[in-house]
Amino acid sequence: MPINTVHIGAGAGFAGDRPGAALAVAEALAVAAQQGTPAFLIFEMLAERTLALAQLERRRDPDAGYSANLAALVQPVLKLCLQHNIRIIGNFGAAHPQAAARRLRAMAQELGFKDAKIAVVSGDDLSARLTPADLAARETDGALLKDRKDIVAANAYLGAQPIAEALAAGAQIVVTGRVADPSLVLGPLAHAFGWDWSDWDRLAAGTLVGHLLECGPQVSGGYFADPGCKDAPDLDRLGYPIAEVRPDGSAVITKPEGSGGVVDLRTVKEQILYEIHDPAAYLTPDVVLDLTGVELAQQGPDRVAVSGARGHARPDTLKATVCFESGWFAEAEISYAGPNATARARLAIDIIRKRMAVLQPGLSLRADIIGVVSSFGDSAGSDLAAAVTESEDVRVRFATRHAEAEVAKLLLAEVEALYVAGPAGGAGVRRHLVPQLASASCLIERDLAAPRMELLP
Amino acid sequence: MSDALLPTVSLHRIAHARSGDKGNRLNIALICYRPEFFDIVAEQVTPERVAALFASRHVGRVQRYELPRLWAFNFVLDRALDGGVNASLGLDGHGKSLSFKLLTLPVRLPASLLQSLITDQP
């Protein structure tokens, strides 16, 4: 019997997403699954640098290197998903998908599912195949990789095909490393509906559904509320999104009944354009998506119909992200409050700039006054210099970055010394120093990545 | 009445916005609350004006894409993020708050549209 609807939900939109948020989605999917509708739950947990951090973990511990939040996010829904054949697809494999798959198998066995089928998608890791010089030659924007030796991770964004193959092989859980975020959704849709890998309009439609789901609740009322202007109710129990997808790729975006948040034209429009450059050409490994003809219609409370995506042939190259070590980042803050607080804050900045110019000439240093201008301001400080806002409760924030930790620490020591050697009433110093990873983008030939799928034996 | 005499409101009254980043490039989706605001925004919120609003960041090219079916525009600002989240020393390396900077831009509204704002918004 041909399938006429697939339900697919998002359980996480980033590595640090909320444990337990997926449960209401899984419960709604279970109802659909019981009525015979194929159901899938995706977890997107891999930002640009997350994978490099995982690679560093794997260097320290050969059994680590997958998402630290894997168990916290998947455990609450695992039993329900395995019971009701809600198939899970997640990029929580990070730098070590095999280890993540073994962990998931152990979790399933503890729940009494001895033979859960778990697949691993790999081949995104380029570090064994491309030298730093090979990568530098393929860098797209700038020359950050030139002569660089300290590369931590180099991964291509794989597409949806190996995910669909894993599902065709019967996998109940598909663990990936780096794949394009929308491919986590396109893989199950292409598998369920049997879409051809050159049916560009359907691949585009499925990619659009993936794009709308990949950031979890950002389409269902998260990253949205502006009180009195555009409200979203009950955000404390924000519902994560579910797409009900038709064989032509058109879909209704919704969320679990009774959950908080909102799905309306405004939330969907904001997410359609999120992190988009040219709306006529959104590039993924699977297709080039053209959003310009997309039509939306509110079909009822928290139900928005999405149609009209168009597709063009997929790009010849794959995007890859290369991460490398990038020195130390130091940040320190101090508060000033009460009469003339802003003037005392400005004096503190003046003192620190002069002291640091003597201690470490040429060090790049940023200073903000939180409460006057900080988020909007430029790093050179011209917005802060021009600001006329006065506040009686401000926080001064300093930041620097340097290859040597000892140099970055000089700033931390000087900010702490403002307690005794700065303006009156300086309070509440907090400081931290963290190693930094930076990233660069490359375009690589498709045959340099080697996507493969294997079922865990 | 000449345009210069029309009352102004902040863009925040007639549109909403969301920021996203890719490296050192910022995009801001600007979406009109109602279709009748689309032409006002198209005429007044030009790439040049947006570039001027973000001038202190020394942004490169500013491109504006129009999506009339969504009553929306997508602004793409090159080199707007101080090198991007990896390199920026700022608190908001992703530029997530900058959608609200765009919404501070004043726009002039014909009296008829201003009247509808007053009656249907708090």
Side-chain angles (χ1 to χ4, degrees), chain A residues 334 352 355 411-422 429 431:
Chain A
I334 186 166
I352 291 290
R355 287 180 184 163
L411 173 67
L412 303 187
E414 285 298 339
V415 174
E416 186 170 41
L418 286 173
Y419 270 144
V420 297
V429 172
R431 319 177 303 163

Side-chain angles (χ1 to χ4, degrees), chain B residues 47-59:
Chain B
E48 294 72 25
R49 253 189 110 193
V50 173
L53 181 69
F54 290 96
S56 69
R57 290 175 170 264
H58 305 287
V59 297

Side-chain angles (χ1 to χ4, degrees), chain A residues 241-317:
Chain A
I242 296 168
E244 302 170 2
V245 190
R246 308 282 294 177
D248 66 355
S250 64
V252 169
I253 305 296
T254 185
K255 66 185 185 66
E257 210 165 317
S259 63
V262 59
V263 179
D264 67 12
L265 297 179
R266 301 168 305 171
T267 66
V268 175
K269 286 175 184 179
E270 286 196 15
Q271 195 56 22
I272 280 184
L273 292 171
Y274 182 66
E275 291 183 346
I276 292 290
H277 178 187
D278 179 355
Y282 178 57
L283 274 52
T284 80
D286 304 305
V287 67
V288 175
L289 164 62
D290 177 353
L291 295 161
T292 55
V294 169
E295 301 272 7
L296 303 178
Q298 187 89 41
Q299 281 200 337
D302 297 317
R303 292 181 65 82
V304 171
V306 182
S307 62
R310 287 187 301 255
H312 306 289
R314 68 184 197 183
D316 292 332
T317 49

Side-chain angles (χ1 to χ4, degrees), chain A residues 49 218 222-223 226 228 230 269-271 273-277 279 295 375-377 379 383 397 401 439, chain B residues 12 16 18-19 27 29 56-57 63 65 69-71 74 76 82 86-89 91 96-97 101 122:
Chain A
R49 287 169 301 170
Q218 283 196 183
Y223 195 37
D226 186 7
K230 52 185 175 95
K269 286 175 184 179
E270 286 196 15
Q271 195 56 22
L273 292 171
Y274 182 66
E275 291 183 346
I276 292 290
H277 178 187
E295 301 272 7
S375 293
F376 287 173
S379 276
D383 290 323
R397 169 199 177 260
R401 181 179 282 108
S439 63
Chain B
H12 185 237
H16 54 113
R18 177 172 293 191
S19 292
N27 90 294
S56 69
R57 290 175 170 264
Q63 281 174 280
Y65 298 93
R69 287 166 196 257
L70 304 182
W71 321 336
N74 190 35
V76 178
D82 205 11
N86 297 318
S88 171
L89 289 177
L91 277 168
K96 283 181 181 285
S97 68
K101 181 164 171 120

